[in-house]
Amino acid sequence: LFPQAPRRVTMCDTNRLSTGGTNTYTLLVTSTNRLCFTLAYSDYPGTEGAGVKLVNDLDLLVIDSDGVTNYPNGRASPDRLNNVEGVDIASAVPGLYTMRVSAYNVPTSPQPYAVVFSGGWDPLAHTPLENTTNTATPYAIDALVTCLGRIDTNRCWAFWNTNGSTTVFQSNRLAAVTGNLYRASIPTQPTNTTIYYFLEGFVDGKLWRNPASAPTQTYSFMVTPPVRLAVQGNPSNYGAPTPAYGTNWYAKGRTVSASAPAVVDISASL
């Protein structure tokens, strides 16, 4: 019940379905550890002497980060016999996983059920912002919020300041953009400002922060003067490298990755 990090357990038992209905859950998996998806429900009593004992038939399937559909209980198709269904993935590929519960046949409806997940799940994922030269438009703070239950949109915030305090912050709400993407905006700041920030969200009945040790630890980025990077080919500007030939401008302290084609046809230039 209490696995060691980065594994986490989350569950939801407040949903119900009638015939033809489907509920879909998205979870962001961030580690390669084992994943366990479980559906369980209390079925209605069957008819004495019936060949198939299952009355209400709910189905579980899991679509992994590679788009592969995984059926429960080691089967290659939906389970029509059991009211407890599970999908175990021994070695996960990080990415988005979709857990889908469908009501194939529910003569006595609606059917309540519970879903449980155990694995390396990140409920409040965020890619930290890099240094910027932008002094004209607000800074977008994006988070991918995933869960089995409820996201309390009134308790999802980005907290920030420009003095490095760990106790006093301004706040802007993380608002839904599309799907599982949420976004907050930090107002523009003048050059040579450092912005410190962290995210907070109430997801699946629990308060989560990113970074986990916030507000003691925060993310930060700087608004810097632009730095000139000139790219020139030798003996000439052949091919299409990244960054492009010519003058490029970047924020100070920003990591720049350079690449160029391994082979370039220069016959047209000869």
Side-chain angles (χ1 to χ4, degrees), residues 122-134:
D122 189 347
L124 189 63
H126 168 67
T127 300
L129 270 61
E130 295 186 89
N131 290 354
T132 182
T133 60
N134 172 27

Side-chain angles (χ1 to χ4, degrees), residues 8 28 30 121-127 142-147 151 155-158 174 180 182 198-203 206-212 219:
R8 291 175 170 140
L28 178 64
T30 54
W121 160 61
D122 189 347
L124 189 63
H126 168 67
T127 300
D142 287 353
L144 198 64
V145 185
T146 62
C147 65
I151 300 169
R155 299 176 68 180
C156 292
W157 298 88
L174 281 165
N180 298 100
Y182 285 68
F198 70 93
L199 307 181
E200 182 177 283
F202 200 77
V203 181
K206 181 178 178 181
L207 184 67
W208 303 89
R209 285 176 174 162
N210 191 346
Y219 295 116

Side-chain angles (χ1 to χ4, degrees), residues 25-91:
Y25 312 89
T26 301
L27 295 165
L28 178 64
V29 171
T30 54
S31 75
T32 58
N33 292 331
R34 181 185 181 194
L35 307 179
C36 298
F37 302 82
T38 305
L39 160 69
Y41 59 98
S42 297
D43 193 19
Y44 283 84
T47 302
E48 184 177 356
V52 177
K53 306 301 182 185
L54 194 65
V55 175
N56 286 349
D57 187 356
L58 302 186
D59 293 325
L60 169 69
L61 64 81
V62 174
I63 302 172
D64 66 23
S65 57
D66 291 326
V68 177
T69 298
N70 298 266
Y71 291 98
N73 302 345
R75 296 172 181 265
S77 61
D79 187 330
R80 299 277 176 251
L81 300 176
N82 298 292
N83 62 329
V84 177
E85 301 184 6
V87 172
D88 289 355
I89 298 175
S91 183

Side-chain angles (χ1 to χ4, degrees), residues 147-232:
C147 65
L148 292 181
R150 180 172 175 264
I151 300 169
D152 189 340
T153 55
N154 292 319
R155 299 176 68 180
C156 292
W157 298 88
F159 294 90
W160 63 278
N161 63 42
T162 57
N163 59 12
S165 169
T166 59
T167 57
V168 180
F169 292 87
Q170 299 187 60
S171 60
N172 295 74
R173 179 168 292 176
L174 281 165
V177 178
T178 181
N180 298 100
L181 177 63
Y182 285 68
R183 177 175 296 156
S185 293
I186 294 177
T188 53
Q189 301 295 323
T191 299
N192 296 320
T193 300
T194 299
I195 300 167
Y196 305 86
Y197 71 98
F198 70 93
L199 307 181
E200 182 177 283
F202 200 77
V203 181
D204 273 0
K206 181 178 178 181
L207 184 67
W208 303 89
R209 285 176 174 162
N210 191 346
S213 57
T216 302
Q217 177 188 0
T218 62
Y219 295 116
S220 67
F221 65 96
M222 294 180 62
V223 183
T224 78
V227 175
R228 177 177 177 269
L229 174 64
V231 179
Q232 181 177 342

Side-chain angles (χ1 to χ4, degrees), residues 231 238-243 245 257-264:
V231 179
Y238 295 120
T242 302
Y245 289 122
S257 298
S259 64
V263 178
V264 177

